[in-house]
Structure formats: C-alpha cells, structure tokens
Amino acid sequence: MVKQVPDIERVRFDVETGRLDRSSAEGITNPFDLNALEVGVQIKERLGGRITAISMGPPKAESTLRDCLARGADRAVLLTDRRFAGADTLATSYTLACAIQELGDFDLVICGEKTLDGDTAQVGPEVAEFLGIPHVAYVEEVRAFDRERIIVGSDVGRFHYVYELRYPCLITVTKDVNVPRLPTLRDKIRARRAQIEVWDAERLSDVAELNRFGLKGSPTTVVKVFTPISSRRRGVILEGDAGEIADRLFDILKEVGALRIEGE
Amino acid sequence: MEYKGVMVFAEQEESVIHPVTFELLGKGRELADRLGVELTSVLLGDGVGDKATILIHHGADKVYLFEDQSLKEFDPLRYKENIVPLLRDVKPEAFLIGATRVGRTLAPRIAAALRTGLTADCTDLDLDEEGNLIQIRPAFSGNIMARIRTRTRPQIATVRYKVMKPAEPNPERRGEVIKRDVKVIEDSGLRILKKEPGKGVDLTEAEVIVSCGRGVKSREDLVIFKELAALLGGVFGSSRPLVDCGWVEREHQVGFSGNIVKPKVYIACGISGSPQHLFGMRDSDIIIAINKDPSAPIFSVADYGFVGDIYEIVPILIKKIKEQRRTAKNLKFLQHGT
C-alpha cells in the first residue's frame, strides 16, 4: 500500500493563513512506503511471488505507482473515484481492504508506518482489522521469512520485541527496516510504458458497501483549522564575543538547573 | 443504546503502568466531570490486579479488569478481542488511548472493529456545546492545528504522551474493580519469540538535550557536542540533515519525522530551525539556541538566542564547566582536609 504525499520538507507553508501551497512542491511517494516496497522486493528475490502496489488517490497519484513499478512491483492498482474523496482513515482503510480482498489471495500486506502528510499511522492497522489478519506496526527489522511466516523486530514499549507472524498478515515498517534501492534508468523506462490498472468504486461493488467510501463513510470531520499560537518565549537575543557568550551560557545553564558544579 | 461516560485505556508493560495513563485519567476526569458522567478505565494483563487501585487513586470510578496469561504480553488482536465487547457493553461516549506505539497499534483495530472514528495523536481534548469531543491535533508537520469531531460513538482518540498534566493521586479515593471474563485466543497468528533490551536512547525522556545541525562541519566534531551533553547529564540530539547523511543514528533525531521531545532544557547548536525541526522541540521548557545567522528561525522559539560560532563558544563553555568542577572538587577536598 502506497500513497502520494506532498513533499513536506519542501512544500511552502503560509504561516498567516495556515495553508499549505501544494503546488510549491511535487507529489512524492511517501518515503516510508518505499521501505515497505523494498521489504517486498527482498522477499520476492528470495522466494519468488508477485508484488502488487496499491494506492488510493487522485489520478496524478499514477506517478507514484509508476515509481513502484520501476522499483520492483509487478502490478499496480490505482483506486481513484470522486466517491473515494474526502475519506478519513476509517473510510480509506475500508476502501483499501476491499480492494485487497478483490485482488484475491495474498500472503503479506506491507505499508509504511505512517504518511508524511496525515501522520496518523492508523491506516495499516485498520486495514489489518478489516481483513481480519494479525499485524505488527513499526517494524524496524525483518529477521527472517519463509513461505509460512515472517519474523520481524519492533520496539513497542521499553523492549525490542521479536515477533513471528503467520501469513496472511500485515506489517507497517519504519525507515530503519532497510535502505530502498534506486530504480535503474531501464526500469524507469519500462515503468513509464507499463499498465496501471485504474479502479473506481463500482469495481469494488462485489465486496464493498459503497456508502462506506469517501466522505460519506468518514465519521471524523475537521471542524476548524488554526495556526498554533507560538508559545511565549523570553526571546532574549545576545551577541558578543565567544568568551562573553560562553560565560552567559554558563550562568543560564546553572540558573535553570541544567548545570551542577558542586560534586555529590 | 445511549453512549455515556469516558473510558481510558490503561497501558502496562511488565505490570508497570505507562505514565501516559495518568495523563489520560487527568484529562478524562475533567471531561467526565464537565459532562456529569463516569470515568472508567480498562486494564489488561496477567497479575496486574493490584494496579487497578492505582487507577482509581488517579481518578477512575470503575476499572474493568481482564486478567489472563494470554494477555501477559501486548498482542493487538488479543487486546482488541477483549476491549471491543467491553465497549459494546459499557458504551462509553469517549475512549482515550495513549498515543504510544502500543496505543497507536491497538486503537486502529478497535476503531475499525467498531466502525467508529479515530483521531490520532491529539495534543488537547475539549467539548463543544453539545458535549461532542473536540479532538485537537497538529496537521502538516505541526504548522497548523486541526479541531476534529467524530459523529460516531464511541469517539476514540489517541493522545500524545507528555502534553497533558497527569492526575494527582489521592489514596483516599474509592472506586469499583470489575473483573471481566477473558476471551482467550489460543493462536492469534502472532507469537513473541524474544524480548530484548530497547536501544537505550530515549530522547523523549531526557531532561537536557544538546542538539546539532548543519552548523557542524564534520562527523568528528560531533564529539564536542556529545561531551557537552554528557557534562550536563543530558542526551545528544540532532536535526534531520545529520541523520540523513549518516553521521548520527536515527534514534537521536529530533523533529517531525524523528522524536518529539519536551526536555527541561533544549540546546540547539548550529540548527537553523526548519518547521519540521521546530515541531519536534518547541514545547521544551527552556530553549537555548546558538547560531551564526541572526535571522535563523530557531531564534523565534528560543528563550535565549546566542548569535555566534558554535565552534568557538561550545569549547569555551566545556572548558569552563570542567575548570569550575575541578575547582569545586579541590575546594571540597581542602575543606574536608582541614
């Protein structure tokens, strides 16, 4: 599962209006999803199998799926329909889960731990629930896998847990799980010519209740957006030579309790 | 069919209640009192029964307790299979979960199973005139805040750790502990093979953080700032560029895609202050920034901003700290000697 997101590190942001100028940066593939795809490619290299990349979004999200095809996906499905628009995480997960069901048998669903724009980390586990399969979130390492199961590591609480998950299952991965490889020029050219399957709401009518898609199927609504009032700060700006500044810093650190001089 | 009351998920690991639980109980109590309803809590585990009283001391009127060996370790599926029927039965209007990794792994499963709305990582909760939960969370790297309402029940939210005040315990408080039958799942498809110590670096718990950014010219120079962090009994942090170029491990990263930190003192050395970095540290109690460029955005959130060269200032500061400590030690030695 992949998503196209605005490049949050580059996108221009208007502090006054609280608006994101989406045209100021191109859509990119959510970086965590590239790690997810890389996990799939590494499994495929050892065990074979097929990777389907699936995304929900506007028609221009097609470029993200082409990126996935260039990086090793075998098939790409774009869920795009006005009726999918305005979806919160519940409706999004429902739609994706229905599409996965429609695709047929699968062993493993992999997605990024979160998206850069939504930052909820909810869609992965919600899809797992809709599909009725176990999941592990925040996977930091894939230790082993075979045709029945995958062994993954994740820091969940104060410990690092090593889990064995039996297929079918879902994992969400962090950036630590691997370093996604770059597609070659030849792969890119091949992906440019490849077929992207476009699915609309009707395409899912056998497996889904259509009123659970999009805005209609979304129980949460943003009632208001506001710019946070920056916390009140002393805002003391000091200039001077390095020695003076170091002395002042020393005093401040002592004053705020960050620096103790007397030994125990 | 009436949904009433506020319920808090009590997170525990090896029978230690996660402190976010007390923050949820504090906020949950406030919301419940405003609504004139009960505050309940749900606790799952094995041999954790004595912890139920602590939840009551922190404000819960009732604690629903699920105890079984199958619940000894956190398993999202097993937890969900027990919590969902409880929510269907008790019907709280709001269910609050800590936005920890456990909470964020579990909450979506519960919300999807109940087909209800879930809001992630809230930094505040409020009520509107009709008593609906208003969930406040940052959006787009924290550049804006969104107020979110849920039309389904229960309204479920995960709440960020360390943003709300924990409830003060009152050992006199009385409440009811209700034991529930556990739905035991023999095989959930998930098995814990091993439990290893965590990485050990936890920026979110640090009291002092000394962070570096692009102002650092080479990887070798990082020792200067690590030394300052050590002298202050703090932890070393970093902005994203140093992590991306491989100089610093990701666990040390502060910012939107790294750790959200809230130490007592945050010292930013040579960090210009991208919105993504500011998002991760601007709630620190005291922010000190050193940067050559007086127009660096980091100064807009700093309590104390120093315009200068980190390569000059920090070594002098380190030298002074060491000298003063040595003097203090010698003085103490002399005093004891006489």
Side-chain angles (χ1 to χ4, degrees):
Chain A
M1 295 196 292
V2 292
K3 186 185 181 188
Q4 187 172 74
V5 297
D7 186 351
I8 209 100
E9 303 285 339
R10 292 216 175 80
V11 76
R12 261 200 307 272
F13 177 77
D14 187 333
V15 185
E16 296 300 313
T17 60
R19 270 178 218 289
L20 209 61
D21 177 11
R22 282 181 186 263
S23 62
S24 66
E26 257 180 73
I28 55 164
T29 304
N30 180 46
F32 304 98
D33 300 349
L34 294 178
N35 298 90
L37 180 60
E38 179 65 31
V39 169
V41 172
Q42 288 182 14
I43 294 174
K44 188 175 102 171
E45 282 170 348
R46 290 251 311 274
L47 299 178
R50 272 167 64 82
I51 302 171
T52 304
I54 181 166
S55 186
M56 185 173 105
K60 72 168 180 131
E62 195 200 275
S63 61
T64 279
L65 286 169
R66 289 204 188 279
D67 188 21
C68 294
L69 289 170
R71 289 167 188 265
D74 302 289
R75 183 180 178 189
V77 176
L78 177 62
L79 302 168
T80 191
D81 193 315
R82 281 207 137 120
R83 281 169 286 184
F84 296 148
D88 69 0
T89 58
L90 188 77
T92 302
S93 314
Y94 177 71
T95 312
L96 286 165
C98 290
I100 291 169
Q101 246 181 307
E102 179 67 23
L103 281 166
D105 278 348
F106 65 91
D107 294 304
L108 179 61
V109 180
I110 317 167
C111 55
E113 59 161 298
K114 61 183 179 188
T115 60
L116 278 189
D117 56 347
D119 189 35
T120 69
Q122 286 173 184
V123 168
E126 286 192 325
V127 167
E129 178 60 26
F130 282 129
L131 293 171
I133 56 175
H135 85 281
V136 171
Y138 305 104
V139 167
E140 276 147 19
E141 50 159 356
V142 174
R143 287 215 175 166
F145 49 81
D146 60 20
R147 290 179 187 281
E148 272 81 48
R149 76 216 129 171
I150 183 164
I151 294 168
V152 297
S154 167
D155 274 359
V156 175
R158 303 195 307 282
F159 298 91
H160 182 75
Y161 290 85
V162 180
Y163 298 102
E164 180 190 277
L165 270 164
R166 210 178 43 236
Y167 307 135
C169 62
L170 180 147
I171 57 173
T172 82
V173 303
T174 70
K175 284 190 129 182
D176 295 322
V177 77
N178 56 35
V179 180
R181 70 194 88 174
L182 292 169
T184 62
L185 187 62
R186 189 200 283 175
D187 290 332
K188 279 189 188 170
I189 294 167
R190 185 181 42 78
R192 210 176 296 154
R193 298 202 196 104
Q195 174 80 27
I196 307 266
E197 294 170 52
V198 178
W199 289 11
D200 62 4
E202 293 311 324
R203 183 70 178 73
L204 300 176
S205 57
D206 286 349
V207 289
E209 298 163 46
L210 270 52
N211 62 354
R212 290 173 68 185
F213 292 151
L215 197 61
K216 249 194 237 167
S218 299
T220 62
T221 30
V222 175
V223 273
K224 204 183 149 194
V225 164
F226 61 100
T227 319
I229 312 152
S230 50
S231 50
R232 213 164 276 185
R233 293 287 174 185
R234 282 182 202 84
V236 184
I237 301 280
L238 298 155
E239 291 179 57
D241 73 40
E244 282 166 29
I245 290 180
D247 284 346
R248 191 65 219 284
L249 203 46
F250 183 88
D251 294 339
I252 291 166
L253 289 173
K254 253 170 79 173
E255 194 184 300
V256 301
L259 175 62
R260 273 197 311 253
I261 290 301
E262 289 77 25
E264 307 311 320
Chain B
M1 204 37 228
E2 179 94 354
Y3 284 87
K4 218 174 162 188
V6 177
M7 192 185 287
V8 164
F9 170 67
E11 180 178 335
Q12 62 84 19
E13 187 182 29
E14 297 204 330
S15 299
V16 178
I17 302 281
H18 192 289
V20 73
T21 308
F22 304 120
E23 299 173 5
L24 295 178
L25 287 169
K27 192 62 177 186
R29 188 70 261 168
E30 177 206 314
L31 296 171
D33 288 346
R34 279 170 69 187
L35 289 162
V37 296
E38 256 179 358
L39 175 67
T40 59
S41 185
V42 53
L43 174 63
L44 302 90
D46 187 26
V48 292
D50 56 323
K51 299 290 177 291
T53 334
I54 300 174
L55 302 173
I56 290 168
H57 292 168
H58 283 83
D61 298 311
K62 280 179 191 159
V63 176
Y64 297 99
L65 181 64
F66 292 84
E67 280 196 291
D68 186 78
Q69 230 219 303
S70 66
L71 300 173
K72 186 170 169 35
E73 301 285 355
F74 170 66
D75 176 332
L77 237 150
R78 289 192 167 106
Y79 266 47
K80 180 222 60 170
E81 284 291 329
N82 283 285
I83 294 172
V84 165
L86 177 75
L87 291 170
R88 287 207 172 107
D89 184 24
V90 176
K91 289 188 168 57
E93 57 210 284
F95 185 44
L96 312 180
I97 303 176
T100 58
R101 283 192 167 186
V102 165
R104 293 180 83 166
T105 302
L106 173 67
R109 289 208 82 114
I110 295 172
L114 293 170
R115 293 195 197 176
T116 190
L118 171 62
T119 307
D121 209 20
C122 298
T123 52
D124 200 4
L125 298 171
D126 199 359
L127 297 167
D128 68 8
E129 311 81 66
E130 286 117 61
N132 296 305
L133 190 66
I134 297 296
Q135 301 150 109
I136 298 156
R137 78 175 297 253
F140 296 118
S141 294
N143 287 314
I144 49 173
M145 303 295 285
R147 292 169 70 86
I148 295 164
R149 197 166 53 203
T150 305
R151 63 175 160 77
T152 48
R153 295 292 181 271
Q155 309 158 93
I156 307 183
T158 62
V159 177
R160 184 175 298 178
Y161 178 35
K162 280 197 171 176
V163 296
M164 291 174 187
K165 248 180 48 199
E168 287 291 329
N170 171 8
E172 305 292 307
R173 253 189 132 265
R174 293 285 169 265
E176 198 182 343
V177 179
I178 300 161
K179 288 201 176 184
R180 301 279 298 196
D181 290 336
V182 174
K183 180 171 174 187
V184 178
I185 293 163
E186 294 300 336
D187 181 4
S188 70
L190 179 145
R191 210 153 59 90
I192 294 173
L193 298 181
K194 250 193 258 175
K195 213 166 146 179
E196 297 168 354
K199 290 200 191 81
V201 187
D202 191 355
L203 259 62
T204 60
E205 294 284 346
E207 303 240 308
V208 176
I209 295 175
V210 177
S211 260
C212 285
R214 261 193 266 248
V216 176
K217 291 173 200 142
S218 84
R219 187 178 195 153
E220 289 68 43
D221 298 342
L222 292 171
V223 291
I224 307 171
F225 308 95
K226 287 181 179 166
E227 184 176 14
L228 179 61
L231 286 170
L232 300 175
V235 179
F236 172 73
S238 160
S239 66
R240 181 171 160 167
L242 302 191
V243 175
D244 283 350
C245 71
W247 292 1
V248 178
E249 286 158 331
R250 198 161 289 281
E251 297 93 83
H252 294 273
Q253 188 190 330
V254 174
F256 179 68
S257 45
N259 293 285
I260 314 292
V261 301
K262 209 180 161 187
K264 291 213 169 90
V265 181
Y266 188 87
I267 307 173
C269 303
I271 293 177
S272 62
S274 66
Q276 290 76 19
H277 185 77
L278 299 185
F279 177 72
M281 46 64 77
R282 67 175 171 215
D283 291 332
S284 307
D285 290 351
I286 303 258
I287 296 171
I288 297 172
I290 313 170
N291 203 300
K292 266 186 186 167
D293 176 9
S295 65
I298 190 83
F299 288 125
S300 69
V301 299
D303 294 288
Y304 301 100
F306 296 98
V307 182
D309 187 347
I310 49 170
Y311 278 94
E312 294 176 18
I313 297 165
V314 176
I316 299 175
L317 176 65
I318 289 175
K319 199 167 149 235
K320 182 162 180 177
I321 295 170
K322 284 183 174 168
E323 274 172 11
Q324 297 258 347
R325 283 203 176 141
R326 211 175 300 127
T327 315
K329 215 168 138 192
N330 289 342
L331 199 68
K332 208 171 166 187
F333 179 72
L334 283 174
Q335 282 165 348
H336 280 277
T338 51

